Amino acid sequence: MLLAAGGGRRLGGRPKALLPYRGRALVENAVRVLREGGCGPVHVVLGASAADVRERADLSGCVVVDNPDWAEGMGSSLRAGLASLAGTGAGAALVSLVDQPGIGAEAVARVRRAYRSPATLAAASYGGERGHPVLFGADRWADIAATAEGDRGARVHLVRHAAELVLVECGDVAEAYDIDTPADLARLA
């Protein structure tokens, strides 16, 4: 699942999903990374500028989920994405963020391989610090959806269940930076 609904508030309202990266829209790169990491089908949660993203980005083969409540923060996008997976038979959701182009397919594949059961809870780590992507077994979705609010996403669930969280070191194959501010745009060059 790719969370790509943010409004790019600190980027002057430019939707992050459409930022150019390696000749493509950032959202297209993120979808490619998830697929190359072994994920599918890819659910993409859109919000701000959703119509523009649908029109300008190639999201063919993706399940595109509209989050009308995107302005409430990442928690609403996570809830929308998890709701889109209900009834699909998926055993887990691997959640990635559109604004982290330094995370590639190898990091996705490593976290994906941590899946053991619908109770699995795993996350990439960078030097021992939890980051993205994060894998949530299906048994955890209801609790995550119930506690995902604002920009905290699944943080409440992750803190409550820290003892069950499997950290998968990815610092040797990925960089966990975000594209949040105009200064960060230099990382896309």
Side-chain angles (χ1 to χ4, degrees):
M1 173 191 323
L2 178 64
L3 302 184
R9 181 179 69 250
R10 290 176 282 177
L11 285 170
R14 295 171 62 187
K16 292 179 184 182
L18 292 175
L19 292 173
Y21 181 64
R22 297 183 178 174
R24 303 164 77 169
L26 201 54
V27 69
E28 292 174 5
N29 177 72
V31 166
R32 178 190 55 77
V33 164
L34 286 170
R35 287 181 175 148
E36 289 178 3
C39 297
V42 176
H43 289 231
V44 179
V45 181
L46 300 178
S49 304
D52 286 343
V53 175
R54 282 178 182 270
E55 181 181 316
R56 296 173 46 200
D58 179 6
L59 298 176
S60 56
C62 294
V63 176
V64 180
V65 180
D66 287 313
N67 175 15
D69 301 321
W70 64 268
E72 293 176 11
M74 187 189 314
S76 68
S77 292
L78 184 55
R79 288 192 310 270
L82 291 174
S84 76
L85 290 168
T88 64
L94 186 137
V95 180
S96 188
L97 308 179
V98 75
D99 67 348
Q100 294 188 322
I103 297 174
E106 180 57 31
V108 169
R110 283 185 186 181
V111 174
R112 188 175 161 271
R113 286 192 297 266
Y115 177 81
R116 297 291 177 266
S117 76
T120 298
L121 184 61
S125 66
Y126 303 89
E129 295 293 318
R130 178 177 48 82
H132 285 89
V134 181
L135 187 138
F136 303 119
D139 290 353
R140 297 183 177 276
W141 297 352
D143 185 57
I144 291 167
T147 59
E149 293 185 6
D151 281 326
R152 292 177 301 180
R155 193 170 300 143
V156 170
H157 185 85
L158 291 167
V159 169
R160 284 183 185 162
H161 300 277
E164 302 159 52
L165 178 64
V166 175
L167 291 178
V168 180
E169 184 56 45
C170 293
D172 61 321
V173 296
E175 295 181 81
Y177 60 85
D178 297 341
I179 304 298
D180 287 331
T181 66
D184 297 332
L185 295 175
R187 291 183 173 264
L188 297 177

